[in-house]
Amino acid sequence: MENDLVFEEHEFSLFEEPADFRPPTPPPTSQEFVRESEFVEAGTPVVLEVQLVGKHSLWGHWLWNAGRSMAHYIDRNKSVVKGKNVLELGAAAAVPSLTAALNGAKRVVITDYPDLDLLKALRVSAEKNVGTQLQSGAVKIVGYLWGEDATDVLGALDEGERFDLIILADLVFNHNQHRQLLTSVQRMLAPNGIVLCSFSHHVPKRAPQDLAFFELAQTPRFDFEVEHLFNEKWKPMFPNDTGDLEKRSTVYFYSLKFRPQ
């Protein structure tokens, strides 16, 4: 005799979550990024309005100091992007990408984790701030998982091209993704290209793990030259957090280049 259980349809309701069991996902938010007016070219906006997801496990719902600082750097040093192919990995608010597009980059590819909400927010921000470049194809948005095949990202460029500049703004806190991130950079950076990396030590006691990214970059597996460029002071992202306030308030800038052969 078989001992199969048979449920009536109404009995499945026992396994349903109540409507209010999980809190609803917060709606998207808008934030403003104010460029330094003395470095803004005529005809381009001083204030960029960006859309952010309401909340995300990958912290894409914040406009990070390192992203703001990177955008200011691009405005002050326009030659680093003008006429260049530019890629931003883990873009979130993407203010460095938007600033690169406004400063005459040939092509800007904005990438983040392939999540529909993240990519939708990026598209909204691009439409608001660089709509003309988005329509022309000079700005493209691509979902991309670090370390994976880069065909779709490189497909945004002309055949055979790589990126002259790759932007990494506040990504090194993803300690278990350092190898994947460097693998992507190695695959997509042009031979004479440069990587600009900005970050803060949000958890100061984990600063050695943050900096391990640059140690790994210099190993024979990746063979990058690493240079510490400068530091910039900001208000801390999370004032009430614990740990060295000086470190939490600082944005550190590094560059990576392929070592000459």
Side-chain angles (χ1 to χ4, degrees):
M1 178 176 174
E2 295 184 357
N3 193 26
D4 292 340
L5 293 176
V6 178
F7 289 95
E8 297 293 332
E9 185 175 350
H10 71 275
E11 292 180 287
F12 282 104
S13 63
L14 294 172
F15 304 102
E16 293 179 2
E17 293 179 352
D20 59 351
F21 181 75
R22 298 179 188 274
T25 301
T29 63
S30 292
Q31 291 197 38
E32 290 185 346
F33 169 68
V34 182
R35 302 166 70 195
E36 296 170 307
S37 58
E38 64 268 35
F39 298 108
V40 176
E41 290 189 349
T44 67
V46 175
V47 179
L48 305 182
E49 184 182 347
V50 296
Q51 181 166 303
L52 299 169
V53 292
K55 190 172 184 180
H56 201 277
S57 60
L58 297 178
W59 302 92
H61 53 292
W62 292 96
L63 176 50
W64 296 92
N65 287 342
R68 298 174 191 262
S69 192
M70 181 71 74
H72 285 323
Y73 179 84
I74 291 169
D75 266 338
R76 298 169 192 157
N77 300 275
K78 301 180 190 304
S79 62
V80 77
V81 298
K82 195 170 185 65
K84 306 289 181 62
N85 290 323
V86 179
L87 168 67
E88 184 171 6
L89 295 171
V95 289
S97 290
L98 300 175
T99 306
L102 293 169
N103 279 299
K106 174 185 174 183
R107 187 73 48 77
V108 178
V109 182
I110 309 172
T111 72
D112 210 326
Y113 187 82
D115 173 274
L116 290 178
D117 289 336
L118 284 174
L119 299 179
K120 181 179 178 181
L122 286 172
R123 179 162 293 278
V124 170
S125 296
E127 288 171 346
K128 286 182 178 180
N129 299 284
V130 291
T132 300
Q133 294 94 322
L134 186 64
Q135 290 180 1
S136 71
V139 170
K140 296 197 175 187
I141 298 163
V142 181
Y144 177 65
L145 193 63
W146 302 342
E148 297 299 317
D149 181 82
T151 300
D152 288 346
V153 181
L154 292 171
L157 303 180
D158 294 335
E159 186 175 356
E161 288 188 327
R162 293 290 187 271
F163 290 97
D164 305 296
L165 171 65
I166 297 180
I167 297 168
L168 312 178
D170 230 335
L171 303 184
V172 302
F173 72 87
N174 291 289
H175 302 144
N176 65 355
Q177 292 295 305
H178 285 178
R179 184 171 296 274
Q180 292 90 327
L181 184 54
L182 284 166
T183 296
S184 294
V185 169
Q186 187 180 50
R187 287 174 179 167
M188 293 190 279
L189 186 66
N192 295 315
I194 185 171
V195 181
L196 290 177
C197 179
S198 59
F199 64 96
S200 294
H201 294 303
H202 299 293
V203 183
K205 67 181 181 181
R206 294 180 183 162
Q209 290 97 310
D210 294 341
L211 295 174
F213 175 80
F214 302 104
E215 295 172 8
L216 181 60
Q218 295 175 85
T219 62
R221 167 66 179 82
F222 296 106
D223 207 27
F224 284 107
E225 286 187 340
V226 173
E227 182 180 0
H228 176 206
L229 299 178
F230 62 91
N231 300 336
E232 197 167 75
K233 303 297 292 187
W234 288 76
K235 292 181 180 179
M237 288 288 301
F238 309 106
N240 296 326
D241 278 2
T242 59
D244 188 324
L245 182 64
E246 179 76 10
K247 286 185 177 179
R248 292 190 291 115
S249 304
T250 302
V251 173
Y252 302 86
F253 264 79
Y254 282 71
S255 69
L256 287 74
K257 298 178 182 178
F258 285 125
R259 198 179 303 278
Q261 299 299 312

